[in-house]
Amino acid sequence: QELKRGDFKVLDVGCGSLSMWLLQLSEDYPSAKFVGLDKISKFPKDFSQNNLQFTQGDILEGLPFEDDSFDFVHMRFVLMEFTEEQWEEKVIKELVRVCKPNGWIELLEIE
């Protein structure tokens, strides 16, 4: 239901070059806004959704967004990308910083 709101914003950190999750959601929920971020700037180019954008960035250098910017922050399959210290000192703090109060953060891993 929340994705049907016009002001609902989703961030996918480490979206990857295919970004199938974002492409599908942005098509299914045209009133929400979606942002994909990855440190490699190889993103899909052939999509018609105007509610989807991609940006290059590295979470370890700080996410390029203001505090409390997103209702839902998603990150998956990146557990091994960071050390335990990076998770504790930077990654989690950045995810929380850009998530709105009462928003959601989802970390998804295989195990």
Side-chain angles (χ1 to χ4, degrees):
Q1 290 295 19
E2 297 293 325
L3 285 167
K4 294 178 182 177
R5 289 189 355 224
D7 62 343
F8 196 83
K9 290 182 71 179
V10 175
L11 172 64
D12 187 11
V13 178
C15 64
S17 60
L18 294 178
S19 303
M20 297 302 293
W21 185 79
L22 278 177
L23 289 167
Q24 186 64 55
L25 278 178
S26 63
E27 188 175 309
D28 292 345
Y29 298 96
S31 59
K33 309 250 184 300
F34 298 88
V35 177
L37 178 128
D38 203 287
K39 61 182 177 180
I40 298 173
S41 65
K42 186 177 179 184
F43 300 114
K45 293 182 179 19
D46 297 330
F47 62 93
S48 59
Q49 300 91 307
N50 62 3
N51 62 335
L52 173 59
Q53 68 181 50
F54 294 98
T55 188
Q56 184 178 5
D58 185 343
I59 194 169
L60 296 179
E61 296 175 11
L63 293 172
F65 308 108
E66 294 185 20
D67 296 356
D68 306 328
S69 296
F70 296 92
D71 299 284
F72 185 79
V73 179
H74 177 261
M75 197 163 83
R76 64 180 167 177
F77 308 138
V78 295
L79 180 65
M80 303 306 289
E81 294 288 321
F82 307 108
T83 66
E84 186 174 334
E85 181 180 335
Q86 288 171 326
W87 275 103
E88 293 173 4
E89 296 299 319
K90 194 64 174 182
V91 175
I92 297 298
K93 289 179 180 180
E94 277 298 286
L95 298 176
V96 170
R97 181 185 67 78
V98 300
C99 189
K100 291 179 181 179
N102 299 314
W104 295 276
I105 297 173
E106 179 178 56
L107 303 174
L108 179 65
E109 293 298 329
I110 292 174
E111 295 182 11

